Amino acid sequence: MRRLGSRKQRKSRLRGEMVLAGSSPSRKDVLVVEPGDHFYPLSVAAPGSMGRTGSWRTQRPVVNAEKCIGCYMCWLYCPDNTIIMREKAGPRGQDVASIDYEYCKGCGICANVCPVNAIEMVDESKFISQS
Amino acid sequence: MALEAEEKTGVRRGTVIPMRGNDAVAYAVKLSRVKVVAAYPITPQTIIVEKIDELISKGEMDAEMIHVESEHSALAATYGAAVGGVRAFTATSSHGLVYMYEVLWWAAGSRIPVVMAVVTRAIGAPWNIHVEHSDILSTRDTGWLIAMAENNQEALDLTVMMFRVTEDPRVYLPGIVGLDGFILSHTVEPVEVPDQELVDEFLPPRRQPYTIESGAPIAMGNIIPDEAFEEHRMDMHESMREARRVIEEAGREYGKLTGRDYSSLVECYKCSDADYLFVGIGSWMGDAKIAVDALREKGLRFGALRLRWIRPFPWDELREYGLEKKAVIVLDRSISFGYAGPVFLEVSSALEAKPSMVGVLAGVGGVDVNYEDMVKIAEHVAGLVEEKGRVYVPALWYHLGEFYPMKPGPLPTRKTPRHVNKLLEELWSKKT
Ligand code: SF4
Ligand code: SF4
């Protein structure tokens, strides 16, 4: 999208939307959510809706909290809703990403979208031999 | 600009401006207060989004333009924006449309209102940028509403109307407005651009069944049981039927506001008292009307029935006007290879093949067909009917003034150029 603005603005916009979703007055002007009498193929994204997908993983995303800038990109893109953003928990007081490995299926999308390469995909075998 | 001046004086409810069909669509998008447009350029559609981009950069339109890397992404982004809760629009043609084909199903199945303009064009190979209906008709079964404009005015009016119809809770399906490549898209005609207040009166705030937003995640596209899937499809079919009523209501109200009534899914030109009927879609039905007048002067009582809507299909109207006719000529600007033209097949089933029927395939790949050709076609078919009593010919090609029945009939052959042949011969001789 054009005019995304600086990283700082972008962040505040993303955060702002999270809080304001559906409640901004300008949006209400143009949008009315009216159910209509139809069948919608929707579901609520919840961890575990497809079972414990953590067992699918062959590679594990590992977050480097030092590098993470708390931009929420991985959080936005994760198809399984398994990125948990911990507010102000980073070493520099920034928001930081962490991952619920119970359900993370290891698709690598988070590592791909991270703008600062803070997520590394590590072979699962590494963790098996360690334990 | 004339438009602004008129808006200030407020004398009329619209301003007549000469413009191309593509500009007419762009103005309709602006008037409908679309908030997100995502598109990828393809001839002959490109001007639509160029014009919208221009309106945005001039500050005349408040919207976000997303430049994407393909048509698949164009519709995906448009669909995504619409799911997020804004009026969204895209436009495409030909290869672009077939490239986004998958996403058409996603948008319809999600029951999300989105509007798209399809500027009709032939699909390669070989390469051809001119008018044909194979692209728009390939969307027939996707669950999108499909309307087809005859002229630039209608391209504007139908686009505005399409937002209202698709956003009606009885419908909640996306919609396509078709306009013929070059014949409308690049041709300047006087178009009355309605005032903003008028469109605001006509178009209620956007309605949609749900939104997906960050912070309140819901998922679309999950696996559902087969039985539920079938019921979902039944519901879409039912909504398409409901859409008929919604179109009639919206068309009537649009007529009250602008003086241009669209309450019927078809346009009937002298067809009530006609013995013979032309049936077809798109801009060449304007030529068919001229042909009707010329034929009536010659003593052949013809009429022209234009399908303004293809989905939902105007079944009742067709039967009302078509069942009792001596013969119905269906004009098709594309072919379902191995059978007949798609419009013929639809019309024939609605009329239960009761009248004599001939499916004429013409104008494919932009070959020029004017009213004189249509007179020729009409006289040929009337002659066949006189001679044989009843005829039923699904596919009769009309090509450069000659008729080629699909069965048995000789077809014209065009040789590949000799230097190409030489290369091919070399290639083939190596193989054997
Ligand atoms: S690897 Fe895939 S599933 Fe796991 S956290 Fe990253 S994006 Fe989510
Ligand atoms: S891990 Fe990367 S993408 Fe995720 S919040 Fe941190 S910096 Fe952003």
Side-chain angles (χ1 to χ4, degrees):
Chain A
M1 230 184 260
R2 289 186 325 170
R3 298 199 298 273
L4 260 180
S6 70
R7 186 172 283 152
K8 206 172 154 201
Q9 287 168 327
R10 206 157 66 204
K11 181 183 154 187
S12 65
R13 230 163 101 161
L14 271 174
R15 297 297 310 280
E17 274 176 17
M18 269 184 284
V19 183
L20 285 174
S23 64
S24 104
S26 64
R27 177 171 280 190
K28 267 195 182 145
D29 286 346
V30 294
L31 173 72
V32 180
V33 174
E34 194 177 319
D37 186 19
H38 302 288
F39 175 16
Y40 305 112
L42 299 171
S43 63
V44 175
S49 56
M50 281 297 286
R52 303 215 150 166
T53 42
S55 64
W56 297 6
R57 208 168 50 236
T58 56
Q59 286 194 316
R60 177 182 300 194
V62 178
V63 180
N64 181 336
E66 286 291 340
K67 276 189 173 180
C68 174
I69 53 168
C71 70
Y72 281 76
M73 283 300 273
C74 55
W75 173 86
L76 202 55
Y77 273 90
C78 171
D80 274 340
N81 210 17
T82 58
I83 304 247
I84 297 144
M85 294 302 294
R86 290 190 290 142
E87 286 192 28
K88 300 192 174 70
R92 296 182 308 283
Q94 84 277 33
D95 295 357
V96 74
S98 74
I99 293 162
D100 182 353
Y101 294 119
E102 226 18 50
Y103 301 108
C104 161
K105 64 185 174 186
C107 67
I109 287 173
C110 53
N112 243 293
V113 297
C114 176
V116 294
N117 291 324
I119 301 180
E120 192 193 348
M121 297 304 289
V122 183
D123 217 284
E124 276 296 330
S125 60
K126 294 255 163 51
F127 300 96
I128 293 166
S129 54
Q130 272 170 18
S131 55
Chain B
M1 214 176 118
L3 174 66
E4 286 159 356
E6 287 291 338
E7 264 175 3
K8 280 195 193 102
T9 59
V11 180
R12 278 186 299 177
R13 306 222 70 184
T15 310
V16 177
I17 305 173
M19 60 171 75
R20 297 165 294 190
N22 281 351
D23 298 323
V25 173
Y27 275 107
V29 171
K30 176 195 166 212
L31 288 166
S32 304
R33 299 191 183 279
V34 166
K35 285 283 172 274
V36 174
V37 179
Y40 191 82
I42 184 166
T43 305
Q45 167 277 127
T46 312
I47 303 169
I48 297 180
V49 286
E50 273 175 3
K51 186 76 193 174
I52 292 173
D53 219 359
E54 188 189 311
L55 291 171
I56 294 173
S57 52
K58 276 187 187 161
E60 287 180 38
M61 183 176 167
D62 173 28
E64 197 84 40
M65 168 71 79
I66 310 178
H67 298 148
V68 287
E69 77 285 7
S70 75
E71 283 86 357
H72 191 278
S73 305
L75 186 54
T78 308
Y79 161 50
V83 171
V86 292
R87 221 163 250 160
F89 173 85
T90 189
T92 193
S93 294
S94 179
H95 291 266
L97 182 64
V98 291
Y99 191 20
M100 59 168 67
Y101 190 67
E102 182 200 2
V103 193
L104 264 86
W105 290 83
W106 279 98
S110 312
R111 311 302 306 258
I112 286 296
V114 171
V115 173
M116 161 158 71
V118 171
V119 184
T120 63
R121 167 188 152 177
I123 305 171
W127 209 240
N128 184 319
I129 58 167
H130 291 129
V131 62
E132 199 188 296
H133 294 154
S134 37
D135 55 359
I136 191 163
L137 291 175
S138 73
T139 67
R140 191 192 61 175
D141 305 333
T142 57
W144 284 58
L145 280 75
I146 309 168
M148 188 77 189
E150 185 194 308
N151 49 48
N152 294 355
Q153 182 70 58
E154 217 181 50
L156 184 148
D157 294 337
L158 285 176
T159 306
V160 172
M161 241 179 91
M162 193 60 99
F163 283 104
R164 168 150 162 172
V165 174
T166 54
E167 291 170 10
D168 190 294
R170 289 167 288 178
V171 181
Y172 280 159
L173 287 168
I176 288 171
V177 176
L179 61 154
D180 280 336
F182 293 100
I183 295 178
L184 298 187
S185 68
H186 287 58
T187 307
V188 174
E189 283 180 354
V191 173
E192 186 176 304
V193 180
D195 290 352
Q196 184 66 60
E197 305 89 75
L198 183 148
V199 175
D200 287 345
E201 206 179 319
F202 175 74
L203 260 185
R206 176 175 173 83
R207 287 180 290 182
Q208 65 186 68
Y210 58 90
T211 57
I212 296 183
E213 300 171 25
S214 53
I218 46 172
M220 192 5 255
N222 43 305
I223 292 176
I224 65 171
D226 300 355
E227 294 75 14
F229 189 91
E230 190 168 77
E231 282 158 28
H232 176 257
R233 281 346 198 203
M234 288 162 77
D235 188 48
M236 282 173 71
H237 186 60
E238 177 65 25
S239 304
M240 201 50 108
R241 212 179 51 165
E242 279 291 302
R244 291 184 46 98
R245 201 142 42 95
V246 177
I247 291 164
E248 286 165 6
E249 285 170 18
R252 199 168 302 121
E253 198 180 313
Y254 197 81
K256 274 191 210 141
L257 292 169
T258 62
R260 294 183 295 280
D261 186 280
Y262 292 100
S263 59
S264 176
L265 277 74
V266 301
E267 191 204 357
C268 189
Y269 183 73
K270 299 188 179 174
C271 43
S272 300
D273 71 332
D275 299 322
Y276 300 91
L277 215 55
F278 283 118
V279 178
I281 58 171
S283 60
W284 67 353
M285 291 310 287
D287 301 270
K289 290 177 197 165
I290 302 172
V292 163
D293 291 342
L295 286 158
R296 281 182 176 245
E297 265 173 35
K298 293 185 177 195
L300 281 169
R301 271 217 302 242
F302 259 81
L305 181 68
R306 179 170 65 88
L307 312 181
R308 187 181 283 135
W309 291 81
I310 300 161
R311 283 293 179 274
F313 192 71
W315 196 82
D316 294 321
E317 293 83 347
L318 250 177
R319 290 172 68 85
E320 184 189 334
Y321 293 116
L323 271 179
E324 307 295 329
K325 298 291 179 245
K326 220 184 218 177
V328 172
I329 302 174
V330 183
L331 299 167
D332 258 294
R333 204 152 205 164
S334 67
I335 163 89
S336 172
F337 301 108
Y339 197 0
V343 182
F344 173 85
L345 297 174
E346 305 242 309
V347 172
S348 175
S349 76
L351 298 182
E352 301 171 40
K354 274 189 180 146
S356 277
M357 294 195 68
V358 178
V360 174
L361 300 154
V364 168
V367 172
D368 190 33
V369 178
N370 60 28
Y371 78 92
E372 285 163 336
D373 294 301
M374 295 200 180
V375 168
K376 214 164 170 179
I377 292 167
E379 285 174 332
H380 180 81
V381 172
L384 283 179
V385 175
E386 285 309 315
E387 186 190 327
K388 299 192 174 149
R390 188 193 138 76
V391 290
Y392 188 77
V393 186
L396 178 68
W397 283 91
Y398 175 77
H399 176 67
L400 303 178
E402 301 289 330
F403 291 94
Y404 300 92
M406 188 156 138
K407 207 170 64 170
L411 287 171
T413 49
R414 194 181 279 270
K415 297 267 184 290
T416 38
R418 202 175 299 146
H419 67 282
V420 179
N421 265 346
K422 219 174 131 222
L423 289 174
L424 285 175
E425 269 158 28
E426 273 170 33
L427 191 77
W428 287 330
S429 64
K430 267 183 216 152
K431 271 210 165 158
T432 45

